[in-house]
Amino acid sequence: MRVVVVGAGVSGLTCARELRQAGAAVTVVEARDRVGGRIWTGEIAGSAVDLGGAWIHGPLANPLAEYCREVGLRWASDGAWGSRMQVHTEDGSLLSHTATTSVVTAWSDFDPAEAVAALGAGVTFADAIEWYIADRTLAGEPAEAVRFSLSWLEAGLNIGSHPNSISATGAAAYQLHAGGNVVLDGGYRALIDHLAEDLEISLEEPVLAVEHGPAGAIVSTSRRSIRADHVVVTVPIGVLQRRLIVFDPPLPARIERSIANLELSTVEKVVIRYRERWWPEDIRRLVHITDAHRFPAWMDLSAHVAAPTLVGLFNPALAPMPDDQGSRFELAIESITTMLGKGPKPIGAMVTDWRNDPYAAGAYSYIPAGAQASDMSSFGHVDGALVFAGEHTVVEYHGTVHAAFVSGRRAAERLIGA
């Protein structure tokens, strides 16, 4: 069996590795000049920092965590989101203890499935937030703090869009395992290097067209045409929406609906590296409640990076934000200064721009208002030759690295079984 895998992210590499171990001849073609896709462990002032996916969320009974354990990859706990967290108001002062406690509690207590059960399947994430605040009888400062946290951190960052644009039913389909969050030693690069080892991977070779049918497939790239028995397409949903790959015959209506209905979040990171730690040791996470909500969430990743490092998450589609990276960095420094005071000059920094990356078009998938969980589950065999994989095809884990891993393994199993 000869298989072409399109894309060298986690889903593509996982699929290719499983197929190769089963005896298939596999070629991975990748448009970028590196492997990893939306996993990118960059070097900032000599330290390795994940600029895309960074955590394994819920490691207990998590298939990716189990695999990493089996192959000897080590990790360290990053705790739950609310651990060692400070919440700051617009002017930088600390939020009251009562309101802060409400914010921390809401992170584990809020479940959009509860709101869907009470309000119906067609509600938005914003509807779910308001239902939760009313149901828990929150008022005043605690209510406003919880509303900000669930709107601009949970919806705006974790899911990655405006709360009015997210399906509460779709969000409820996501399954979070227990165990908090863990970070792989050395970053996700350790997993990528392991998955890519000994595979036949061709870089800087964008795929332009895929012909597919019962007799096999022809994959046309910028360099050549490759004949195969099967092709596994693992590119992000945003790339499919941009029609960078032409399919012949056209994709079935169910796949076209899914491509049209799903969305890709627009979450970005700013990573700031210092020579010495200058903020208090007991701070691991910061929330900045502001009207502009430009940089609502910060994390201290020093323990994982082995160097003093702050990482801010932001969503330029939801906040007034200049386009250039330098100005975004200055706004990030302004946010830190407001909360913690003026610090020393950073020795390194990087601001991501996944939204304008032609081979990503954003960060990770979500189910928007008006779409259905079935828009993700509809991906699979198109015919005997064509299979789709990627984090956007796994409803219960969508938007995560372990979704990409599960989808790659599932695609390989389908072909091996066939």
Side-chain angles (χ1 to χ4, degrees):
M1 177 170 62
R2 175 155 182 76
V3 182
V4 173
V5 176
V6 181
V10 167
S11 58
L13 295 176
T14 300
C15 181
R17 189 172 184 83
E18 298 269 333
L19 288 169
R20 187 174 179 277
Q21 289 176 343
V26 186
T27 299
V28 182
V29 287
E30 167 59 47
R32 301 178 187 276
D33 61 359
R34 61 171 179 83
V35 295
R38 286 170 286 171
I39 295 293
W40 177 25
T41 307
E43 295 286 335
I44 302 177
S47 298
V49 184
D50 280 319
L51 300 169
W55 294 271
I56 299 179
H57 302 293
L60 299 182
N62 182 308
L64 176 57
E66 292 175 354
Y67 180 81
C68 290
R69 188 182 299 111
E70 289 172 6
V71 300
L73 299 180
R74 300 170 61 88
W75 64 65
S77 174
D78 194 45
W81 170 250
S83 62
R84 293 166 60 183
M85 183 171 74
Q86 282 189 355
V87 182
H88 293 257
T89 61
E90 181 89 48
D91 65 1
S93 59
L94 287 174
L95 193 68
S96 71
H97 176 73
T98 300
T100 300
T101 300
S102 297
V103 169
V104 174
T105 300
W107 275 93
S108 58
D109 185 44
F110 173 73
D111 182 356
E114 249 193 300
V116 170
L119 302 176
V123 299
T124 68
F125 203 84
D127 297 327
I129 293 170
E130 295 307 316
W131 176 87
Y132 174 81
I133 290 172
D135 185 74
R136 299 309 194 263
T137 63
L138 297 173
E141 187 183 45
E144 289 304 313
V146 167
R147 182 177 288 111
F148 181 92
S149 175
L150 294 178
S151 296
W152 307 118
L153 278 72
E154 179 63 17
L157 298 179
N158 284 355
I159 298 174
S161 187
H162 195 286
N164 285 329
S165 302
I166 299 168
S167 165
T169 304
Y174 176 79
Q175 299 176 15
L176 176 63
H177 292 296
N181 302 289
V182 298
V183 177
L184 289 175
D185 290 354
Y188 261 121
R189 179 168 55 194
L191 175 65
I192 295 300
D193 290 346
H194 164 77
L195 292 175
E197 186 177 4
D198 297 328
L199 292 179
E200 180 188 329
I201 303 173
S202 180
L203 301 177
E204 298 183 277
E205 188 172 4
V207 169
L208 306 177
V210 173
E211 296 177 50
H212 58 96
I218 301 175
V219 178
S220 299
T221 77
S222 57
R223 301 178 194 165
R224 55 181 168 159
S225 292
I226 311 171
R227 290 188 175 273
D229 300 303
H230 307 279
V231 56
V232 182
V233 176
T234 72
V235 300
I237 191 70
V239 175
L240 293 174
Q241 290 171 339
R242 291 184 177 187
R243 309 294 176 180
L244 298 183
I245 301 174
V246 176
F247 294 93
D248 183 18
L251 297 173
R254 76 176 194 280
I255 301 295
E256 288 293 355
R257 279 195 302 272
S258 296
I259 292 172
N261 287 349
L262 296 176
E263 294 289 348
L264 208 58
S265 72
T266 48
V267 177
E268 304 288 353
K269 288 183 181 179
V270 55
V271 180
I272 305 177
R273 167 87 154 77
Y274 293 93
R275 191 175 304 280
E276 296 179 349
R277 183 189 184 96
W278 57 276
W279 55 95
E281 287 284 346
D282 62 345
I283 293 177
R284 286 286 297 280
R285 290 165 178 82
L286 296 164
V287 173
H288 195 188
I289 297 178
T290 67
D291 291 337
H293 44 80
R294 289 195 184 101
F295 291 91
W298 288 89
M299 288 149 289
D300 172 13
L301 291 187
S302 304
H304 305 298
V305 176
T309 306
L310 291 174
V311 177
L313 298 177
F314 67 100
N315 193 330
L318 304 183
M321 187 81 70
D323 291 332
D324 67 286
Q325 307 300 77
S327 296
R328 291 181 176 184
F329 169 75
E330 292 300 326
L331 287 172
I333 292 294
E334 182 181 304
S335 174
I336 293 173
T337 302
T338 300
M339 291 185 291
L340 300 177
K342 186 173 178 58
K345 183 178 179 180
I347 62 171
M350 188 172 291
V351 183
T352 66
D353 192 15
W354 293 106
R355 187 183 186 186
N356 292 311
D357 182 323
Y359 303 120
Y364 39 80
S365 66
Y366 70 95
I367 301 172
Q372 308 293 328
S374 60
D375 287 315
M376 289 184 170
S377 59
S378 68
F379 284 96
H381 272 294
V382 172
D383 53 37
L386 178 59
V387 178
F388 284 94
E391 54 83 13
H392 58 281
T393 70
V394 181
V395 177
E396 64 270 28
Y397 298 143
H398 64 272
T400 66
V401 180
H402 54 280
F405 174 80
V406 167
S407 77
R409 175 172 276 181
R410 184 180 63 188
E413 289 172 348
R414 283 173 174 164
L415 295 183
I416 294 167

